[in-house]
Amino acid sequence: MMFPIILSSIIAMAIIVERFWSLQRKKILPPDLLPQVRKLYMENKLDDTTLRKLKVSSPLGYILAAGLFNSLHDRKVIKDCMEEAGRKVAHDLERYLNALGTIAAVGPLLGLLGTVFGMIEIFSSLMKNGAGDPASLAGGISIALITTAAGLTVAIPSLIFHRYFERLVDEYVIGMEDEALKLIDILHGDREAS
């Protein structure tokens, strides 16, 4: 059972590194994006090309562009369009987190299964050869327990990072919602840029 545990470890590490790279705050919520969009809106420089560039610039840009494409409609339509874009962005931000959570849940079970297989093998050997050497029996049990330790070694960091990334995504989603509401207020003149 060590092969699936090692494979899970490699996959978990790859997901963790990729999520750290992809979920950088400056990539998700560029701090100066809303003021730039406001300035372009006030100067009437938001053409289709600019909006397409905004859409691919960042997840926040994707949401703001959804609202700006529909800026001629009323507040509710703009908000609905931005909420739809926000759901897609939130889904994209949670990419691979399910797999990481699954590895965190399955790691200890793989380790336990490996230990059970090892114990079955030890007791089968005892039935065939007898319990002649206690040191050999203890050595066999310790080898069987290695898979449990390996499973836990993979699962614990996976669980910690899974929870961390879930919380980070939630924080980003709330930040994007706040920025989207500010844009709606700017489009309807209810709020000056803050």
Side-chain angles (χ1 to χ4, degrees):
M1 292 307 298
M2 286 301 287
F3 178 73
I5 293 172
I6 291 170
L7 184 62
S8 297
S9 167
I10 293 168
I11 293 170
M13 183 56 88
I15 291 171
I16 290 167
V17 169
E18 189 277 335
R19 290 289 80 193
F20 266 120
W21 177 257
S22 297
L23 294 177
Q24 295 178 37
R25 185 170 193 82
K26 64 182 178 185
K27 289 182 176 181
I28 308 297
L29 289 165
D32 55 344
L33 187 61
L34 186 61
Q36 288 175 357
V37 167
R38 181 187 181 277
K39 181 180 177 198
L40 290 171
Y41 177 75
M42 294 302 182
E43 295 172 355
N44 243 356
K45 293 183 179 177
L46 286 173
D47 56 6
D48 282 347
T49 307
T50 307
L51 289 178
R52 283 191 188 90
K53 286 179 186 175
L54 175 66
K55 186 176 183 177
V56 298
S57 68
S58 67
L60 176 60
Y62 184 86
I63 293 171
L64 297 180
L68 290 166
F69 273 120
N70 295 284
S71 62
L72 298 178
H73 298 303
D74 68 357
R75 185 181 188 98
K76 183 179 179 344
V77 172
I78 296 171
K79 189 173 180 181
D80 288 345
C81 291
M82 292 173 94
E83 284 176 357
E84 287 175 24
R87 281 191 291 275
K88 183 197 177 305
V89 165
H91 180 265
D92 290 346
L93 292 178
E94 291 173 347
R95 185 179 12 176
Y96 306 128
L97 292 187
N98 249 355
L100 191 60
T102 301
I103 291 170
V106 169
L109 298 174
L110 289 173
L112 184 60
L113 184 60
T115 299
V116 169
F117 285 156
M119 297 301 281
I120 290 170
E121 191 175 310
I122 289 167
F123 286 117
S124 294
S125 174
L126 280 175
M127 285 178 20
K128 290 179 188 172
N129 304 328
D133 184 15
S136 146
L137 178 64
I141 292 172
S142 72
I143 289 172
L145 290 173
I146 288 174
T147 56
T148 298
L152 290 171
T153 303
V154 171
I156 292 169
S158 297
L159 180 62
I160 290 169
F161 284 110
H162 178 258
R163 298 269 171 107
Y164 170 74
F165 290 131
E166 275 188 337
R167 177 72 179 137
L168 192 62
V169 167
D170 288 345
E171 182 182 312
Y172 288 159
V173 167
I174 290 170
M176 287 186 285
E177 285 175 2
D178 185 47
E179 295 290 295
L181 290 174
K182 287 178 186 175
L183 177 67
I184 291 171
D185 289 341
I186 289 169
L187 292 176
H188 285 278
D190 298 335
R191 177 190 297 181
E192 289 300 315
S194 54

